[in-house]
RNA sequence: GCCGGGGUGGUGGAAUGGUAGACACGCAGGUUUCAAAAACCUGUGAGCCUUAAAGCUCAUGAGAGUUCGACUCUCUCCCCCGGCACCA
């Protein structure tokens, strides 16, 4: 319970595994070795309860759900704030490894505690009321209040909770030395070892001899390590040692254990013929003697390796850092601490990919490259933290908890300068098949290969984005995939047709005269679409981004004769993220037709233009500079931009409502839409409007400029 | 139990408080074809009325509220999906 409720404590609960419980049982056993006294019966009950709890797995305990069980120990403790005697219970709803494993029970202000107190007839005190004089009895679940005004709490009575009461009471407890503020992270003990083959071996060595001499990494050579105490990592290890929980009855579990010396890292996963688990409870590596047997880093005698590998959860908790340095084997990820060595080694490398350049050019390039690299290295760190994590909702608890944990550890070690890996988490929807979550065991999975075979990868990819809002997922048994297939087919046909027509130049020009009005229609639609698609992409609204592009294509077909090359290029650029292959092909063909139809090498103009544009938009990546003539990928082009001037309409459609019901609409010159009187005049001329207003008195007119005029009549 | 996301045509889904149903699928009719597939064109929320055109009414899970106007905002309720570690 929260500290502000401390005056409402009527019992304490210990987890069955709590060390005090053992102390209590042995103390009871000592004082009552024989006999059938009440005390010894209690002892028997307590022992029985603890034994049964320990046999249950954590899962079972949780699965048993809301029904709380517990036993009284016969012992009491004193609540320091009011010197009240408080009974101590043992109950398995308290988790030993979380926090202290001991919890105060405040049945007046906690629903679970209330249920427990009711069941075992423990007293219930109201400490949070609706108002400062609310001393009503807490005799039903609904009367339990977790927030409100403190009552029955001595000098704190009358304070609102949670704050300021919580802080005031914390201060009070600290001043009196009753307790200390402490962050309690919601991370349970996390077992990272797995008895499997696939995974990174845990680089630890166990020496029987050293163990028998009670020596381990923490015991030997610590003087030496202390001498190097400037090394902050060893400092950290020393600190962590002090954090290993020591219960009075426990020996250090670490005798005989040593980490593999740094120069022998990494311990690689050995090749084996049979990697399947043996069912022995041990890792498959355990049966590989050449792997297992090694020398003790401490005494040099025979020793064995740890054969468990680490959990994939551990690896997946920092892979996003690794992505930024996949070209490097000497560092795990770009980091503040690694940065110096990164720069040094990179500058000494030479750019060997450039051929056929003059010496000066080459030198220039080299200089440019190393500058770029230097910049690239810096930027790599700047790229972090990740802007947005897109994942399933199921990631939002476990995976992200672990990632955040590791990130905070790296931050504390000074490796990175941020402690939250993903400032923004976006939960995408779940793709449903036949009304339920896909699972291999249910057999209701979508096999992409079948769809790729039938429709192609572009179609499947685009369809997945089109079938519903990204944040909500959708059901896959919809057949509209054929609509996307048709759409891409129509894109292909249109661009191919255009390219072919361009070959017959005369034909391409002949259509020119009647094309002007259609041309402006097209331009308007193109720019409206760019605007919409850009916004939609930013907001991850892929389904409507595609719908807008379908509309654009429909417009293109409508005014087919007036189409220009740039119209098609803009369309392909927008479509490229969805259908990367088909757009790439069509892009190349559009560019190729420039060459063949104009019979010159020029592209130069085209390309240099696109380079300037890139620089203008600032989107060009320095590493792309080389891609002059040999790389025309659409995927290296900048995203299209729209011209706001081209978005403007000459006319607006004004909707006429009468009492909020749509009755008519008419076009109005955009130059006049600001003048309500003109719009009103025009509206009142309309036959339909007259009819509906006939004989009624206009009480009010609401005009939303350029959109709606609403007559309120009596 | 707690947390999160939803509920709109026959279907998937669109709609900064301003013409509900964009864009697709499906279906119906047509063009093309020896025929079919493919492609293309037209229509398509429900109901009423009409020869037709037009028109009217009802519709966004249910019910209230705010507003000139509500799929959208507020409240109450129902249902569906997903997640969950009794975290004190």
């Amino acid at each position: 319970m929260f500290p502000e409720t401390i005056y409402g404590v009527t019992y304490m609960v210990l987890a069955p595994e709590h060390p005090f419980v053992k102390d209590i049982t042995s103390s009871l056993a000592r004082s009552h070795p024989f006999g059938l006294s009440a005390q010894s019966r209690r002892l028997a009950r307590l022992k029985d309860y603890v034994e049964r709890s320990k046999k249950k797995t954590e899962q079972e305990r949780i699965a048993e759900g809301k029904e709380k069980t517990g036993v009284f120990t016969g012992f009491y403790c004193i609540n320091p704030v009011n010197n009240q005697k408080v009974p101590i219970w043992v109950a398995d709803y308290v988790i030993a490894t979380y926090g202290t494993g001991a919890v105060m029970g405040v049945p007046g202000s906690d629903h679970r505690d209330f249920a427990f107190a009711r069941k075992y007839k423990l007293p219930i005190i109201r400490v949070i009321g609706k108002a400062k004089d609310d001393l009503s009895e807490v005799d039903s679940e609904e009367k339990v209040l977790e927030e409100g005004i403190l009552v029955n709490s001595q000098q704190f009575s009358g304070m609102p909770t949670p704050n300021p009461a919580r802080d005031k009471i914390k201060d009070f407890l600290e001043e009196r030395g009753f307790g200390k503020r402490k962050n309690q992270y919601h991370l349970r003990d996390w077992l990272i070892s797995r008895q499997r083959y696939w995974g990174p071996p845990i680089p630890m060595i166990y020496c029987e001899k050293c163990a028998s001499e009670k020596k381990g990494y923490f015991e030997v050579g610590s003087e030496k390590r202390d001498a190097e105490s400037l090394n902050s990592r060893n400092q950290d290890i020393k600190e962590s040692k002090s954090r290993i929980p020591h219960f009075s009855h426990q020996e250090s579990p670490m005798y005989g254990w040593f980490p593999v010396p740094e120069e022998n890292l990494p311990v690689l996963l050995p090749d084996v013929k049979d990697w399947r688990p043996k069912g022995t409870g041990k890792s498959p590596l355990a049966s590989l003697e050449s792997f297992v047997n090694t020398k003790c880093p401490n005494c040099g005698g025979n020793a064995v390796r740890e054969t468990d590998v680490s959990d994939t959860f551990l690896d997946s908790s920092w892979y996003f850092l690794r992505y930024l340095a996949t070209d490097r084997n000497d560092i795990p990820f770009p980091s503040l601490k690694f940065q110096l060595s990164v720069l040094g080694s990179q500058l000494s490398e030479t750019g060997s990919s450039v051929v056929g350049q003059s010496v000066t050019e080459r030198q220039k390039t080299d200089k440019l490259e190393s500058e770029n690299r230097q910049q690239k290295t810096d930027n790599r760190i700047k790229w972090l933290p990740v802007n947005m994590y897109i994942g399933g909702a199921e990631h939002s608890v476990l995976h992200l908890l672990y990632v955040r944990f590791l990130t905070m550890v790296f931050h504390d070690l000074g490796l990175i300068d941020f402690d939250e890996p993903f400032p923004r988490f976006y939960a995408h929807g779940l793709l449903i098949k036949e009304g339920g979550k896909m699972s291999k065991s249910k057999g209701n999975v979508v096999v992409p290969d079948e769809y790729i075979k039938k429709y192609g990868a572009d179609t499947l990819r685009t369809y997945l984005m089109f079938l519903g809002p990204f944040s909500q997922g959708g059901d896959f048994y919809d057949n509209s995939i054929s609509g996307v297939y048709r759409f891409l087919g129509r894109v292909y046909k249109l661009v191919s047709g255009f390219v072919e027509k361009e070959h017959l130049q005369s034909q391409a020009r002949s259509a020119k005269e009647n094309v002007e009005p259609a041309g402006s229609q097209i331009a308007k639609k193109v720019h409206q679409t760019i605007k919409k698609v850009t916004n939609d992409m930013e907001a991850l609204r892929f389904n409507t981004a595609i719908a807008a592009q379908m509309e654009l294509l429909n417009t293109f077909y409508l005014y087919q004769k007036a189409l220009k090359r740039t119209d098609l290029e803009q369309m392909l650029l927008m479509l490229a993220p969805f259908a990367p292959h088909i757009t790439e092909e069509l892009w190349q063909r559009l560019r190729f037709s420039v060459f063949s139809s104009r019979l010159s090498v020029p592209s130069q103009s085209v390309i240099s233009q696109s380079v300037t544009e890139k620089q203008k938009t600032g989107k060009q990546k320095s590493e792309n500079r080389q891609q002059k003539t040999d790389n025309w990928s659409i995927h290296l082009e900048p995203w299209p931009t729209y011209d706001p001037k081209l978005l403007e309409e000459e006319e607006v459609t004004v909707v006429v409502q009468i009492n909020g019901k749509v009755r008519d609409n008419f076009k109005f010159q955009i130059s006049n839409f600001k003048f309500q009187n003109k719009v009103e005049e025009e509206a009142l001329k309309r036959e339909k409007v007259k009819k509906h207003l006939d004989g009624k008195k206009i009480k009010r007119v609401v005009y939303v400029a350029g959109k709606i005029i609403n007559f309120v009549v009596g």
Side-chain angles (χ1 to χ4, degrees):
Chain A
M1 245 351 267
F2 294 110
E4 67 269 20
T5 61
I6 193 160
Y7 290 91
V9 175
T10 58
Y11 64 96
M12 288 291 290
V13 187
L14 299 176
E17 298 87 348
H18 197 284
F20 283 1
V21 175
K22 208 177 175 185
D23 295 345
I24 287 170
T25 47
S26 48
S27 139
L28 279 176
R30 264 199 309 279
S31 53
H32 301 272
F34 317 106
L36 298 162
S37 66
Q39 282 286 33
S40 57
R41 282 202 303 277
R42 176 170 290 142
L43 174 63
R45 267 209 311 276
L46 185 58
K47 274 188 164 170
D48 182 51
Y49 183 81
V50 170
E51 285 310 309
R52 270 188 295 132
S53 298
K54 281 183 177 168
K55 276 187 201 139
K56 293 184 209 168
T57 65
E58 213 161 74
Q59 290 298 323
E60 283 169 340
R61 282 204 208 172
I62 293 157
E64 283 169 12
K66 288 166 284 178
E67 188 59 25
K68 315 277 182 277
T69 59
V71 290
F72 178 44
T73 60
F75 282 73
Y76 293 84
C77 59
I78 302 294
N79 185 345
V81 296
N82 55 10
N83 291 319
Q84 292 279 319
K85 200 169 134 188
V86 178
I88 300 175
W89 285 63
V90 171
D92 65 6
Y93 74 81
V94 173
I95 297 154
T97 55
Y98 182 79
T100 57
V103 180
M104 64 189 203
V106 186
S109 287
D110 182 90
H111 290 275
R112 194 192 38 202
D113 291 352
F114 178 81
F116 191 82
R118 262 295 176 88
K119 182 168 177 187
Y120 294 105
K121 304 200 165 46
L122 291 158
I124 299 168
I125 302 172
R126 178 173 292 288
V127 281
I128 296 177
K130 282 182 183 151
K132 65 180 178 191
D133 53 355
D134 177 11
L135 296 172
S136 60
E137 205 176 319
V138 186
D139 53 9
S140 71
E141 174 94 41
E142 298 80 56
K143 292 185 185 167
V144 173
L145 284 185
E146 297 188 339
E147 284 188 15
I149 308 290
L150 278 185
V151 295
N152 282 330
S153 300
Q154 295 181 3
Q155 71 267 39
F156 299 102
S157 297
M159 278 189 196
T161 68
N163 280 309
R166 188 172 297 172
D167 282 332
K168 295 277 183 205
I169 290 203
K170 282 178 183 170
D171 290 343
F172 174 75
L173 294 175
E174 285 192 335
E175 276 163 28
R176 299 291 170 96
F178 294 151
K180 254 166 70 179
R181 282 182 167 86
K182 189 181 169 233
N183 279 335
Q184 181 60 54
Y185 294 102
H186 286 193
L187 185 65
R188 280 195 197 175
D189 282 1
W190 174 20
L191 183 69
I192 61 160
S193 63
R194 294 291 181 270
Q195 294 75 47
R196 296 201 179 162
Y197 172 73
W198 293 109
I202 296 173
M204 293 294 287
I205 292 171
Y206 180 72
C207 173
E208 190 75 40
K209 185 164 161 277
C210 291
S212 67
E213 293 165 7
K214 297 207 168 186
K215 286 179 188 159
Y217 178 75
F218 290 123
E219 284 74 30
V220 303
S222 57
E223 307 82 14
K224 193 177 149 215
R225 283 197 294 273
D226 282 348
E228 298 164 0
S229 62
L230 282 176
N231 183 327
S232 66
R233 202 190 42 171
N234 280 337
Q235 196 63 38
D236 290 329
I237 290 170
K238 253 180 78 185
E239 278 174 22
S240 74
K241 186 194 167 190
S242 69
R243 284 200 293 265
I244 293 175
H246 267 282
F247 290 142
S248 54
H249 57 283
Q250 258 182 331
E251 295 283 287
S252 163
M254 299 302 285
Y255 293 144
W257 283 105
F258 298 92
V260 172
E262 209 152 308
E263 59 271 23
N264 297 338
L265 292 176
V267 176
L268 294 175
L269 190 61
D271 281 330
V272 296
K273 285 199 183 97
D274 186 10
W275 44 265
R276 284 170 301 190
K278 300 286 177 296
T280 56
K282 283 195 167 183
S283 158
L285 292 178
S287 51
L288 197 68
E289 287 191 11
S290 59
F291 175 79
V292 173
N293 293 325
T294 186
K295 297 295 176 196
C296 173
N298 183 45
C299 68
N302 289 336
V304 291
R305 284 184 195 281
E306 171 59 57
T307 56
D308 285 359
V309 297
S310 72
D311 182 11
T312 51
F313 259 122
L314 180 66
D315 312 318
S316 66
S317 294
W318 65 281
Y319 71 98
F320 68 101
L321 294 167
R322 178 63 189 160
Y323 278 160
L324 299 183
T326 48
D327 55 336
R328 299 284 306 270
N329 284 327
D330 53 336
I331 58 166
F333 51 82
S335 112
L336 303 174
K337 281 204 174 172
F338 304 143
Q339 192 172 1
L340 279 177
S341 64
V342 171
L343 285 180
S345 65
Q346 289 230 335
L347 285 170
S348 64
E349 287 173 27
T350 51
S352 55
S353 57
V354 190
V355 253
Q357 285 179 319
S358 73
V359 175
T360 29
E361 270 175 354
R362 173 69 177 266
Q363 279 167 345
K364 242 194 250 167
T365 319
D366 275 357
K367 195 170 166 236
L368 183 73
E369 266 200 351
S370 55
E371 274 170 11
N372 283 346
R373 285 189 181 204
Q374 192 166 350
Q375 205 186 3
K376 189 166 140 193
T377 310
D378 287 339
N379 281 342
R380 287 202 221 183
I381 298 173
K382 285 182 195 149
W383 287 349
L384 296 166
V386 174
N387 301 56
M388 174 161 56
Y389 183 103
I390 300 177
E394 73 273 16
H395 288 143
S396 58
V397 180
L398 282 177
H399 174 54
L400 287 180
L401 190 63
Y402 294 138
V403 176
R404 293 179 63 216
F405 170 66
L406 275 204
T407 303
M408 288 174 190
V409 169
F410 290 157
H411 176 256
D412 288 353
L413 292 174
L415 297 175
I416 49 183
D417 62 355
F418 56 92
D419 63 357
E420 283 291 351
F422 316 125
R424 188 168 163 213
F425 172 66
Y426 184 94
H428 64 227
L430 211 57
L431 263 189
I432 300 292
K433 181 87 194 289
E434 286 146 23
K437 188 177 173 179
M438 290 185 210
S439 82
K440 278 186 213 160
S441 54
K442 272 196 264 173
N444 61 339
V445 290
V446 173
V447 181
D449 302 30
E450 292 164 14
Y451 291 89
I452 291 172
K453 201 172 160 193
K454 199 167 165 196
Y455 299 106
D458 279 351
T459 301
L460 179 65
R461 183 182 163 101
T462 308
Y463 172 61
L464 286 174
M465 295 291 97
F466 181 64
L467 93 178
F470 187 60
S471 62
Q472 279 167 44
D475 205 323
F476 199 86
Y477 62 178
D478 177 340
N479 288 323
S480 19
I481 190 165
S482 56
V484 171
Y485 182 68
R486 241 172 256 165
F487 166 63
L488 293 180
R490 273 155 57 83
V491 169
Y492 192 88
K493 217 171 79 180
L494 187 71
V495 179
S496 304
F498 183 87
V499 170
E500 269 168 43
K501 220 167 69 181
E502 275 229 330
H503 278 291
L504 316 164
Q505 292 175 25
S506 55
Q507 209 184 346
R509 296 220 173 98
S510 69
K512 239 182 176 167
E513 301 91 53
N514 301 330
V515 143
E516 273 317 311
S520 70
Q521 287 298 314
I522 292 175
K524 194 187 293 173
K525 189 71 180 170
V526 167
H527 285 259
Q528 285 170 345
T529 307
I530 293 173
K531 185 181 179 188
K532 169 136 183 71
V533 172
T534 305
N535 292 341
D536 282 352
M537 297 283 278
E538 290 282 332
L540 308 179
R541 286 190 300 255
F542 302 120
N543 56 334
T544 50
I546 293 168
Q549 296 185 57
M550 287 175 168
E551 282 189 58
L552 179 66
L553 183 71
N554 291 341
T555 307
F556 279 4
Y557 268 97
L558 198 61
Y559 302 112
Q560 198 169 347
K561 282 185 181 156
L563 277 181
K564 286 187 296 223
R565 168 188 304 280
T566 52
D567 298 328
L568 295 174
E569 285 179 352
Q570 307 272 48
M571 174 181 71
L572 290 178
L573 286 170
M574 284 188 272
L575 193 55
F578 300 97
H581 306 95
I582 195 176
T583 50
E584 179 76 312
E585 180 186 331
L586 293 173
W587 181 259
Q588 306 277 349
R589 286 177 58 187
L590 264 183
R591 285 290 158 107
F592 179 72
S593 82
V594 173
F595 281 45
S596 57
S597 61
R598 290 182 194 167
L599 294 173
S600 59
V601 190
S603 60
Q604 210 49 32
S605 64
V606 177
I607 293 156
S608 61
Q609 187 200 349
S610 90
V611 169
T612 350
E613 275 170 11
K614 277 181 192 168
Q615 282 166 343
K616 255 192 243 162
T617 56
K619 285 192 177 173
Q620 192 200 20
K621 297 276 181 291
S622 52
E623 58 263 38
N624 294 346
R625 253 173 223 168
Q626 309 266 339
Q627 280 134 9
K628 297 245 150 140
T629 49
D630 59 345
N631 197 340
W632 281 18
S633 174
I634 189 171
H635 303 298
L636 297 170
E637 291 296 319
W639 186 253
T641 51
Y642 63 91
D643 180 352
K645 269 183 255 159
L646 287 172
L647 297 177
E648 284 166 17
E649 300 275 357
E650 285 150 21
E651 290 178 327
V652 289
T653 302
V654 177
V655 172
V656 186
Q657 293 185 340
I658 289 157
N659 280 350
K661 288 201 181 196
V662 177
R663 294 303 179 186
D664 200 4
N665 67 74
F666 58 88
K667 300 263 189 197
F668 207 70
Q669 280 295 315
I670 194 132
S671 53
N672 283 336
F673 81 89
K674 279 182 187 155
F675 305 107
Q676 181 172 343
N677 54 346
K678 288 189 183 173
V679 176
E680 215 175 303
E681 196 182 307
E682 176 70 23
L684 289 169
K685 276 190 217 154
R686 316 273 306 173
E687 282 303 320
K688 286 184 197 170
V689 178
K690 279 183 193 165
K691 200 178 110 196
H692 281 278
L693 289 177
D694 188 37
K696 286 168 185 155
K697 198 182 158 204
I698 297 173
K699 287 202 286 196
R700 191 178 158 190
V701 181
V702 180
Y703 177 59
V704 181
K707 271 188 181 165
I708 261 183
I709 181 153
N710 187 13
F711 295 99
V712 185
V713 296

